[in-house]
Amino acid sequence: MRTLQEIPELRKVLGEYRQRGLRIGLVPTMGNLHAGHLALVETARRHADVVVATIFVNPLQFGAGEDLDAYPRTLAADQAQLEATGCDLLFAPTVTTLYPHGMDNLSQVRVPVVSEGLCGGSRPGHFDGVATVVSLLFHLVQPDIACFGEKDYQQLAVIRKLVADLHFPIEIIGVPIVRAADGLALSSRNGYLSADERAAAPQLQRILTTLRHAIEAGEPVATALESGLKQLGAAGFEPDYLELRAADLGPVTATTREAVLLAAVRLGTTRLIDNLILTLPR
Ligand code: PAF
């Protein structure tokens, strides 16, 4: 696997791939890779001839007071994992390479409505930063397919709308959440948890699972969510949101069948998100 940091070199290698008629799969990441990221690489492998991963901790998607400086940077370990998973090329640019004119007056991409509420409500500007860097990477790499995790459910919905609205000729593939044996959704931010917090964290998925069963069995959604918030509080989480939305993140209506239960919580200083897909009763 080659690692490149500069745009001209990246374009050269990608040009060679294209000349050879190879289908390019893109896996954008912020590094500190875990089995969830590797599942994205494995999925890309199945849908493309060459896999290009990117590692870039994107300052644009972090708000003031968020964990930009603390975000783990583990390039050597990430390279070894990508190589072992069959990634062909890693693009790991610096901030100056991607944003040579700075970030203050940068042209930005905004994806309305689907970016609002949920994580967009508590992290203003976050999805503008994501949509901007993902658009930039799509322009640079021009992949045929790109893989994103379903753990960041709202991000995936934002990217699907971005691709549809801006006519990117890229197939977006959502990859199911990878969980630890105890049910905790894998996340680079799990590394921030103390031993006690790590032991408590799987309660998030257990509470969501209980709620899913209750809602699928016909319990009124408002009652289930109210009880869910109480259960989250009792388990030591500080809930940011707990919502049931239609699978496309629109509101649940009388005809909605495919829905998603989404939660964001704080455990100590760590923000955790998770979601479960469910089928509403008729
Ligand atoms: O999901 C992530 O790791 C990031 O939001 C992404 C898509 C790589 C954009 O920086």
Side-chain angles (χ1 to χ4, degrees):
M1 184 189 73
R2 289 177 70 180
T3 300
L4 303 177
Q5 283 202 298
E6 303 300 335
I7 292 172
E9 299 172 279
L10 175 72
R11 289 204 162 117
K12 187 164 172 287
V13 176
L14 291 169
E16 288 161 9
Y17 288 158
R18 271 186 222 103
Q19 261 186 349
R20 288 162 58 200
L22 299 175
R23 217 172 128 74
I24 298 172
L26 175 67
V27 178
T29 81
M30 298 206 300
N32 193 234
L33 305 181
H34 49 65
H37 296 109
L38 302 181
L40 302 181
V41 174
E42 280 156 9
T43 305
R45 275 241 71 85
R46 290 199 297 277
H47 288 82
D49 302 311
V50 285
V51 179
V52 179
T54 65
I55 294 183
F56 180 65
V57 182
N58 174 34
L60 270 192
Q61 69 188 75
F62 288 79
E66 289 191 352
D67 56 344
L68 173 62
D69 293 336
Y71 202 87
R73 276 117 169 134
T74 51
L75 185 63
D78 294 346
Q79 283 171 311
Q81 293 198 78
L82 287 170
E83 175 117 50
T85 316
C87 178
D88 298 282
L89 182 66
L90 170 62
F91 180 53
T94 62
V95 174
T96 322
T97 296
L98 271 206
Y99 304 133
H101 312 295
M103 289 175 282
D104 287 347
N105 297 311
L106 188 72
S107 306
Q108 293 223 24
V109 180
R110 189 175 61 88
V111 183
V113 184
V114 72
S115 292
E116 293 151 22
L118 303 169
C119 288
S122 32
R123 305 184 67 192
H126 168 68
F127 288 117
D128 297 353
V130 170
T132 300
V133 80
V134 168
S135 302
L136 213 158
L137 294 170
F138 283 173
H139 280 301
L140 289 176
V141 177
Q142 298 180 25
D144 297 282
I145 63 125
C147 297
F148 294 88
E150 288 177 354
K151 185 176 86 62
D152 295 301
Y153 194 93
Q154 189 176 15
Q155 168 172 283
L156 180 57
V158 166
I159 290 163
R160 286 192 193 286
K161 180 164 161 56
L162 163 82
V163 162
D165 286 353
L166 302 187
H167 297 270
F168 280 106
I170 301 172
E171 184 191 347
I172 301 301
I173 300 174
V175 179
I177 298 178
V178 177
R179 297 182 180 280
D182 60 11
L184 179 65
L186 296 191
S187 163
S188 300
R189 291 192 168 97
N190 293 349
Y192 298 150
L193 298 169
S194 69
D196 284 352
E197 289 167 347
R198 177 63 189 80
Q203 285 297 333
L204 174 57
Q205 190 248 3
R206 286 183 208 134
I207 293 168
L208 290 181
T209 304
T210 308
L211 293 182
R212 178 177 77 185
H213 291 149
I215 293 169
E216 286 184 333
E219 180 164 339
V221 172
T223 317
L225 294 181
E226 199 180 313
S227 145
L229 284 173
K230 282 190 193 134
Q231 292 177 51
L232 288 171
F237 299 109
E238 192 191 310
D240 175 2
Y241 61 77
L242 173 65
E243 287 193 37
L244 184 75
R245 297 275 191 106
D248 64 0
L249 291 186
V252 172
T253 67
T255 56
T256 305
R257 291 293 161 260
E258 289 303 303
V260 56
L261 187 59
L262 305 118
V265 298
R266 261 183 205 288
L267 186 54
T269 54
T270 307
R271 190 168 186 278
L272 301 175
I273 61 173
D274 203 345
N275 67 79
L276 290 181
I277 310 281
L278 54 86
T279 308
L280 293 177
R282 284 182 192 279

